[in-house]
Amino acid sequence: MSKVKKWLAWRPGKKSPSFVVHSVTPTSEPASTSTAMPAPTPPPGQPSGPSNLSVWLLPAQSSPENQVLSSIIGHLATKYGNYAYHPHVTLAMLPPSFPPAIVERVLNEMKSKLFEKQVVFEALHPGQAGIFVYGRREYTSTGAPTGLMALQQVFHDRLNEELKVALERGDEAVVNLGYTEVRNIVPMFPHFSIAYTPAGQAEGVAELQQMGFYTLTPAHQEESGATQTPGDVDALNAGEGMTLGGYRGYQVGALFAAYCGGLRPEKWRIFMRIE
């Protein structure tokens, strides 16, 4: 059995023959909520609460892509003494005071269009804060964003339209926010984080290569002159770029919202799931 197939049998919260994942996302979290939920109160001794309300694009939770990517994130979390988290691309980073009811309304409105899109992995980058995968960025011939990038802007536009209407109505949930619009501040969208660590990033990348979980596709290997490492590559996902756990990316199949405390997964609290 290949390494990829062995990892397919693993799920968050279970022991793997080679590693243990510390999950901070219990299955008892609610599937969705339409109630305006305030940002959680910080524990004693912590000076501030969450830094943002994040909206995530995830693979379908029952998909093999989700299982394999979760295993890779869990393996690296154990390696770096960190916490595991759901594989995701961040669609939006909003102020923690932004009304969750507006977020949910717009996500449900755009769900079918978002679920038509794919996150395509293009390049792996060991950065100062961890290991990240840059996704495909699509533009029209005139340079305008298209595909998933265009939908990201539509999502922010719709949030602002809903916020404006709520302010004009004088809704209690928005009158004291202190702002009248939100901006798109997600860096390098779409990017996919597989580890957060201030050191040892190159070692982690090398380990994934040796285990066959990070590979360059043949077309990209030939173009770049890079060395191809052994691994299972899904023929249907072949093309330029890279594979992670045998996949070139994933179809969007779930939408989560969470209160996040920077790059510290142990402080993240998921409060909304739309699948």
Side-chain angles (χ1 to χ4, degrees), residues 214-253:
Y214 162 49
T215 68
L216 297 175
T217 58
H220 186 67
Q221 176 193 358
E222 181 178 349
E223 178 181 330
S224 64
T227 301
Q228 177 72 32
T229 55
D232 295 340
V233 178
D234 185 344
L236 295 177
N237 290 322
E240 294 186 4
M242 54 161 283
T243 66
L244 197 59
Y247 293 99
R248 284 282 286 121
Y250 62 83
Q251 184 89 20
V252 177

Side-chain angles (χ1 to χ4, degrees), residues 36-54:
M37 179 184 293
T41 303
Q46 292 188 8
S48 60
S51 58
N52 63 71
L53 188 166
S54 290

